[in-house]
Amino acid sequence: MKSWKSKVWAVMLSAVFPLGLVYWQTSLFTCLLLGVWVAAVLAFSFVYNRRQYEEELRIQENTLQQAANRTLNHHRHDWMNDLQVLYGYIQLGKPDKSVQCVERIKERIALDSRIAKLGVPSLVFYLQSFRTFRSSLELDIQVEEGLQLEDKLSPEAGAELTSVVMQTVRAYQYSGITQHGDTRKLELSFSQEGRDILISFKGEGEQDNPELLQGQIYNIVQGKIMKAEQVQPAKGNVELRLPLEM
């Protein structure tokens, strides 16, 4: 990005040459030269910037498509595993185990449905795709039945909510006591209390430095529409309260 911006600036600065000619010897020719030069510079800058903008959009679209494909493949792999386990129980004539397997599948379908109904596209995509990334943190997501945010939050508030959730999860991901190669769990729940949306973060085990984690989270929400509240300081558990009167 710095490279193409440098080129644009270099072309724009080239207008100093005809400007210097006008300053040194003002004439019809030098004025015409300056006008043509400036017009050419502006045309080049417009076309070049547009092409670079389109290229960046193409790269972003390609990245998004790759992330979507990775998420779909991951979910497909999970469904295939569940179906193979269920098929195995049926073949072995274990109806109790088959019923339990079906119940687990139903719970996962219901959770995916509740996540989708949150109605904030960026947040839904993040929650649905988190499992596809290699991480030392496992998210246990809970969404209150019937909770929908699509008509309750502006696009700007929805984008801010997604950003705060992502940053807070990242703060938990890089905090706490974990052996190399181990995976910790973080319970992330969404619910509504009156006119407020509560986003709860409950970490597994004791935090290595709960004060530092709390400070990071308070910095994340500083100046935002939501507020952070401590629940269990020793474990670093936090609730984010998002008012809907906006």
Side-chain angles (χ1 to χ4, degrees):
M1 183 178 293
K2 290 183 179 179
S3 176
W4 70 264
K5 286 186 176 181
S6 299
K7 291 179 181 178
V8 172
W9 276 108
V11 171
M12 294 179 68
L13 288 174
S14 69
V16 173
F17 172 70
L19 184 62
L21 288 178
V22 172
Y23 179 78
W24 178 62
Q25 184 177 4
T26 304
S27 65
L28 179 61
F29 172 75
T30 56
C31 290
L32 288 175
L33 177 62
L34 176 62
V36 172
W37 199 296
V38 170
V41 167
L42 292 176
F44 172 82
S45 300
F46 175 78
V47 173
Y48 196 78
N49 284 332
R50 184 178 181 85
R51 288 182 178 177
Q52 291 299 321
Y53 176 72
E54 291 174 349
E55 178 65 16
E56 289 179 2
L57 285 181
R58 187 191 65 79
I59 293 174
Q60 292 177 3
E61 182 180 358
N62 185 58
T63 301
L64 182 61
Q65 290 174 346
Q66 289 179 354
N69 288 335
R70 187 167 56 244
T71 301
L72 290 173
N73 288 334
H74 192 279
H75 282 283
R76 179 184 59 80
H77 184 265
D78 287 346
W79 291 124
M80 289 300 298
N81 285 342
D82 289 336
L83 290 175
Q84 287 176 355
V85 172
L86 177 60
Y87 183 65
Y89 285 144
I90 293 174
Q91 283 187 316
L92 294 173
K94 296 184 177 181
D96 293 341
K97 294 290 186 179
S98 299
V99 171
Q100 293 176 7
C101 186
V102 171
E103 290 299 324
R104 287 197 302 271
I105 294 175
K106 288 173 59 179
E107 289 175 3
R108 285 185 51 197
I109 294 175
L111 175 60
D112 286 343
S113 176
R114 291 195 298 272
I115 292 175
K117 288 179 180 178
L118 284 174
V120 181
S122 56
L123 179 61
V124 171
F125 182 77
Y126 172 72
L127 296 177
Q128 295 282 24
S129 62
F130 186 84
R131 288 181 296 172
T132 66
F133 298 99
R134 294 181 180 178
S135 171
S136 60
L137 188 70
E138 178 184 339
L139 274 187
D140 180 11
I141 304 171
Q142 304 294 331
V143 180
E144 185 180 80
E145 184 67 39
L147 180 62
Q148 296 184 8
L149 304 178
E150 183 176 9
D151 299 328
K152 300 175 181 178
L153 296 179
S154 65
E156 295 77 14
E160 185 172 292
L161 171 61
T162 303
S163 176
V164 169
V165 169
M166 292 174 63
Q167 292 181 65
T168 305
V169 170
R170 192 176 299 118
Y172 275 96
Q173 183 176 349
Y174 295 105
S175 68
I177 303 173
T178 306
Q179 298 296 326
H180 180 71
D182 289 347
T183 301
R184 292 186 300 114
K185 290 185 178 181
L186 174 65
E187 183 180 310
L188 171 59
S189 62
F190 297 82
S191 60
Q192 184 168 357
E193 184 178 279
R195 291 291 299 169
D196 293 343
I197 297 299
L198 296 183
I199 305 100
S200 300
F201 297 84
K202 296 181 180 179
E204 181 183 54
E206 298 293 330
Q207 292 294 326
D208 187 22
N209 193 335
E211 293 80 12
L212 177 60
L213 177 62
Q214 295 285 348
Q216 289 176 337
I217 296 174
Y218 281 118
N219 287 335
I220 290 171
V221 301
Q222 187 175 10
K224 303 293 193 303
I225 56 179
M226 61 194 73
K227 303 299 179 184
E229 301 175 354
Q230 293 186 7
V231 180
Q232 291 177 300
K235 293 187 176 182
N237 294 344
V238 169
E239 279 186 353
L240 302 181
R241 186 174 293 269
L242 172 63
L244 293 177
E245 288 87 354
M246 58 184 78

